[in-house]
Amino acid sequence: MPLPLLSDPDPTTAPSSNGRVGTAADVLVARPRFPRPLSREIVAVLDPVWAVPGADVTASVRAPAEVIVEAATLLTRFLQPGEVVAGTPDGRLTLRLRREDRAARPVRLQEMAYHAIEVFDSLGQHGSVIDLGVGWAPVTRKQYPEQAERYAATAARESVLQRDLQPRQRGIHLRNRQPRIDVWSAGNQILAATLGSILLPFLALVGLYTVGLDVSDIVYWALVGALSLTALTIWAECTHAFEPPILPEVPDRPAPKATAVIAAYLPNEADTILETVAIFLSQHYAGGLQVVLAYNTPVHLPVEDELALLASQHEALTLVKVHDSTSKAQNVNAALRVAQGEFVGIFDADHHPMPGAFDRAWRWIADGVDIVQGHCVIRNGDDSALAKLVAVEFEQIYAVAHPGRASLHGFGIFGGSNGYWRMSALEKIRLRGSYLTEDIEASMRVLAAGGRIVNDPGLISRELAPETAGALWKQRMRWAQGWFQVSVRHLWPILRSPALSLRQKTGAAYLLGWRELYPWISLMAWPLLGFLAWRDGGLDFSSPIFLVVTLFVAASGPMQTLAAWRLAAPEIKAHPWWFVAAGLANLLAYNELKNLVNRIAHLKQLRGEHQWVVTPRTAPSSTSSLAPSGVVR
C-alpha cells in the first residue's frame, strides 16, 4: 500500500479551524490576536517550484499569482485559530503559525509542507515533481515579524536547492558554531575517546571508594548485563539471518517502467563512471529501464563529453548535471524531476547490479513494499588485505546483520545504494543532505510513517572497497557520525509513533539507542578490572559467571563471521581464509577500532563538526564486473 505522508493527518478528518487567508501585512502584524496571547509564533515561507519544460532540468519556475491565492485558500483548512496564510506576487506562500514544538523541530510546519504539496498536485499546474522550499524563523522580542520573514525567505531559498522538503531556519537567534579542526583537535578527540574513557571511570571508582562508597558490584553486574545483551542480539540476528524473507511470486500484471538513479561526484568517480553506466545500459528489465546519471562537478571534465556522446547513442540514458549540488542527496532529489519509473533504484557510482536486479526488485514493490534493500558485495577484494577485510565485513552487514535484524525486529533499513524505492514514497520522503547518512535518516522517516522496508540478501550489487586505511577511516567516521545524528533526531519520535508495533520500537531502541551507548560501555571492563586489582591487590577470574559471560561474548564475533561465510555471495564465500583472517582481526583490533570511531564521532558531533567527506574512487579493479563489449564506445 502507498506510504502515508509523514506526520500527515487524514485530510478527511482534519480538524476545522479559524485560520484564514490574509495579506502580507496580516502575516507580519506585530501583535496577532491569538486566544493565548503568550503563544510562541513563527513566520514561515513556502517556495513551490518545478522544472521548466524543455529547458535545463535544474531550472525552475513558480506558479502564477492566482494559483498561489487558490492554494492559500485550500491550506486554511489545516490552520489553527488565529493562524494566517498569504500569497505573494512572486509565487510564494507566507504563514504565521503557532510554534508548539520543542526546540528546532517544527513538526506542524513539516505537515504544512506536505499539505502544500498535495494542494499543488490537486491544482495540476505543474508537469513534473514539485520542489518545495520550506524556511522559518521564530518571532521573538529581538526578532520582529519583518525580520523573521526575511530570514525565513532566505532559508526557503536554501531549502529549494536541497529539494528535500525539509524545513530550515535562519535568524539572529541561531548560534553558528565553527570549531577549529586540525591535528590537535583530532588528537585530543582520540585521547578523550580512549585514555579519557578508561582513566576517568577508574578515578571515579577509586574516588567513590575512598569516601566509603564501593559501586564496583553495581558496575560489574551492569557490565555483565550489557555485554550479554549485545552478544545475545548478535546471536539472534545470526539465527534469523538463516531465515531470509520469501521472495514474492511474479506479479500477475505487466512490469512497469523502472528508473535507475546513479548519483556521482565526477571528479571523484571519473575513472569508473563509464564502466558503471555501461553495466546499467546492459541491464535487461521486462518493463523497460531508464538510466539517470545525476552528477555534480565544480569544473568541466573530459568524461562529460564522453557521457554526452553515450547519451546520444542510448535513448534510455538521461544525464542530469546538478549545478548547485553539494551532496548525493541533492543529486538524487534532482533526478526525480526526470524519473519516469513506477519505482526507482538508487546507486552509488561504483555499483554494478546483478542481471535481473530490477525484475527481482519489482516483485517486492508489487507486493506492497515501499523500499527493498539489496545485498552489497565488494568486488575488488583481491586488490589488498584491507579490501579483503572490508569484503568480509560487508557480508557480515548485508548477508547477516541487516536481514537478521529485519527478521528479528520487523523492519529493514535503506543502506544508501542498491535500494529500490516506490516512486511515490521517494517523492514524499526525499533524501536530506543535512545528514551525513541521508540513507539511514530517510529509513527512519519511512519507518515512522508506517512504511515497509525489506532487506533481500539475494538482490546483489557489487561495489568497490576503500583502497587505503585513511579512506576507510573517513568513510566510517562519516557513517558513525551520521548514525549518531539520526539517533539524536529520530529515536524519541519513533518510540512515540503510533504506526510502530512494540517489537519494532524495541528494535529501534536497540538500533538507535543501545548501539550508540555500547562503544562507551564496552570499555568499562578495563577501568573496572583496574579498580578491582587496585582494591584487592590482584584479580580473581574464578567466578563462573564471569567466565561464562566472557566466553559467550567472545564467541559472538566468530559466530557472526561463520554465519557470514555460510550466507556470503558465492565469489566471497569461495575464499574461506578471508573469513579466518577477518575473524582474527576482529578479535584482536578491528572491532575496538570501530568502537573508537563511534566514540570519536560522538565527540565530533557534540563539538559541532559536520564535515562530509567522499570516499575516493580509482580506476576499475581488474576483478570488477565488466560490461559487454561495444556498450560504452
Side-chain angles (χ1 to χ4, degrees):
M1 59 182 296
L3 179 71
L5 290 175
L6 288 178
S7 305
D8 191 8
D10 186 347
T12 63
T13 61
S16 61
S17 71
N18 296 323
R20 63 187 176 88
V21 176
T23 65
D26 294 324
V27 173
L28 303 181
V29 66
R31 292 180 178 274
R33 295 179 180 177
F34 280 169
R36 290 185 295 170
L38 297 180
S39 294
R40 296 181 299 167
E41 308 159 76
I42 67 171
V43 174
V45 173
L46 303 182
D47 191 359
V49 300
W50 44 82
V52 180
D56 176 7
V57 70
T58 60
S60 299
V61 295
R62 292 192 176 96
E66 60 271 17
V67 174
I68 290 295
V69 171
E70 188 174 0
T73 302
L74 293 174
L75 282 173
T76 56
R77 64 179 304 198
F78 303 107
L79 298 179
Q80 294 183 0
E83 295 182 333
V84 183
V85 58
T88 66
D90 60 353
R92 298 180 301 167
L93 292 164
T94 60
L95 303 95
R96 183 73 167 263
L97 304 174
R98 295 183 185 181
R99 183 184 175 192
E100 298 178 347
D101 310 298
R102 298 178 59 189
R105 300 179 182 179
V107 176
R108 282 201 61 246
L109 179 56
Q110 182 74 83
E111 292 175 1
M112 291 301 297
Y114 288 127
H115 289 312
I117 293 290
E118 283 187 332
V119 165
F120 283 105
D121 277 337
S122 68
L123 295 176
Q125 291 293 317
H126 61 95
S128 64
V129 171
I130 295 176
D131 292 322
L132 185 71
V134 187
W136 69 283
V139 178
T140 66
R141 293 180 180 178
K142 296 183 179 181
Q143 188 163 269
Y144 293 106
E146 294 83 357
Q147 293 173 295
E149 192 275 338
R150 289 195 295 271
Y151 283 121
T154 299
R157 286 193 293 271
E158 296 172 359
S159 178
V160 164
L161 297 180
Q162 297 294 326
R163 303 178 177 89
D164 59 7
L165 312 183
Q166 181 183 10
R168 281 170 168 75
Q169 65 168 320
R170 287 288 178 265
I172 61 176
H173 62 288
L174 290 177
R175 294 181 179 180
N176 296 319
R177 292 190 297 167
Q178 296 182 337
R180 182 178 179 180
I181 303 173
D182 54 29
V183 65
W184 294 108
S185 63
N188 291 337
Q189 289 167 354
I190 293 175
L191 287 175
T194 51
L195 296 181
S197 55
I198 294 174
L199 183 60
L200 291 180
F202 171 77
L203 294 177
L205 288 170
V206 172
L208 290 173
Y209 183 79
T210 57
V211 297
L213 187 60
D214 188 350
V215 296
S216 59
D217 284 345
I218 297 175
V219 174
Y220 172 81
W221 287 109
L223 183 61
V224 167
L227 296 177
S228 299
L229 173 63
T230 302
L232 183 63
T233 303
I234 293 174
W235 282 75
E237 289 176 355
C238 291
T239 302
H240 282 74
F242 284 91
E243 301 174 1
I246 299 174
L247 183 67
E249 297 293 331
V250 176
D252 57 3
R253 64 187 178 99
K257 190 164 188 176
T259 298
V261 174
I262 308 168
Y265 176 60
L266 277 194
N268 189 56
E269 288 147 336
D271 292 337
T272 63
I273 194 61
L274 288 174
E275 181 190 21
T276 296
V277 170
I279 290 292
F280 278 88
L281 290 175
S282 69
Q283 276 277 328
H284 173 74
Y285 167 63
L289 181 63
Q290 175 197 24
V291 180
V292 178
L293 173 61
Y295 71 93
N296 61 304
T297 175
V299 296
H300 183 80
L301 298 172
V303 72
E304 292 184 79
D305 298 327
E306 298 181 71
L307 288 168
L309 176 61
L310 192 61
S312 68
Q313 298 170 350
H314 295 270
E315 185 179 352
L317 177 60
T318 301
L319 302 180
V320 178
K321 185 173 183 178
V322 191
H323 303 281
D324 51 26
S325 174
T326 58
S327 69
K328 170 185 172 180
Q330 286 175 273
N331 291 348
V332 173
N333 293 337
L336 297 183
R337 287 187 164 191
V338 299
Q340 303 168 0
E342 186 173 318
F343 69 98
V344 177
I346 299 177
F347 298 87
D348 289 339
D350 62 324
H351 268 255
H352 296 176
M354 70 181 196
F358 283 83
D359 287 291
R360 185 179 180 106
W362 163 236
R363 293 169 68 172
W364 287 109
I365 300 295
D367 194 51
V369 170
D370 292 296
I371 306 172
V372 53
Q373 172 61 49
H375 178 173
C376 299
V377 176
I378 295 300
R379 58 186 170 91
N380 63 331
D382 287 324
D383 287 357
S384 66
L386 181 64
K388 292 177 176 62
L389 177 61
V390 175
V392 172
E393 183 185 18
F394 266 50
E395 296 307 315
Q396 291 175 301
I397 295 172
Y398 287 100
V400 179
H402 282 352
R405 184 184 303 120
S407 176
L408 181 63
H409 298 311
F411 66 88
I413 58 173
F414 166 55
S417 190
N418 193 29
Y420 304 76
W421 288 66
R422 184 184 304 277
M423 179 62 176
S424 58
L426 186 55
E427 282 186 15
K428 296 170 184 175
I429 296 297
R430 309 291 178 98
L431 301 185
R432 293 180 171 176
S434 57
Y435 291 85
L436 295 177
T437 49
E438 71 287 329
D439 47 357
I440 307 303
E441 195 276 335
S443 299
M444 295 303 107
R445 285 186 287 126
V446 170
L447 179 62
R452 185 180 169 199
I453 308 176
V454 169
N455 283 87
D456 180 2
L459 184 55
I460 291 177
S461 180
R462 295 169 173 86
E463 65 173 292
L464 298 173
E467 294 189 339
T468 66
L472 181 65
W473 175 272
K474 291 177 181 178
Q475 181 193 67
R476 300 312 166 87
M477 189 64 68
R478 175 171 59 84
W479 290 2
Q481 189 173 350
W483 269 96
F484 187 46
Q485 286 179 318
V486 173
S487 297
V488 170
R489 175 63 182 87
H490 287 288
L491 176 57
W492 182 241
I494 281 180
L495 294 181
R496 297 178 59 192
S497 172
L500 273 65
S501 66
L502 178 61
R503 172 188 173 198
Q504 290 174 317
K505 290 181 180 180
T506 302
Y510 181 87
L511 188 64
L512 299 182
W514 185 254
R515 181 183 175 279
E516 299 297 337
L517 291 174
Y518 183 75
W520 298 93
I521 294 174
S522 64
L523 272 187
M524 281 300 298
W526 297 108
L528 178 61
L529 291 175
F531 170 77
L532 294 177
W534 172 81
R535 186 194 66 182
D536 302 333
L539 293 173
D540 180 10
F541 293 104
S542 62
S543 170
I545 295 179
F546 180 85
L547 293 176
V548 169
V549 169
T550 300
L551 180 62
F552 183 59
V553 172
S556 62
M559 168 67 178
Q560 188 183 55
T561 305
L562 178 61
W565 175 71
R566 289 285 305 276
L567 298 170
E571 65 266 38
I572 307 298
K573 187 176 182 179
H575 301 280
W577 286 108
W578 291 11
F579 290 83
V580 173
L584 291 174
N586 287 333
L587 282 174
L588 296 176
Y590 194 50
N591 279 337
E592 175 51 32
L593 180 62
K594 288 186 287 186
N595 286 336
L596 173 63
V597 168
N598 276 274
R599 294 192 294 269
I600 295 175
H602 293 169
L603 299 178
K604 285 182 176 293
Q605 181 65 23
L606 295 174
R607 189 170 180 262
E609 298 181 26
H610 305 110
Q611 289 183 321
W612 199 99
V613 181
V614 297
T615 304
R617 309 290 184 198
T618 58
S621 167
S622 59
T623 59
S624 63
S625 307
L626 296 178
S629 59
V631 175
V632 175
R633 302 174 190 268

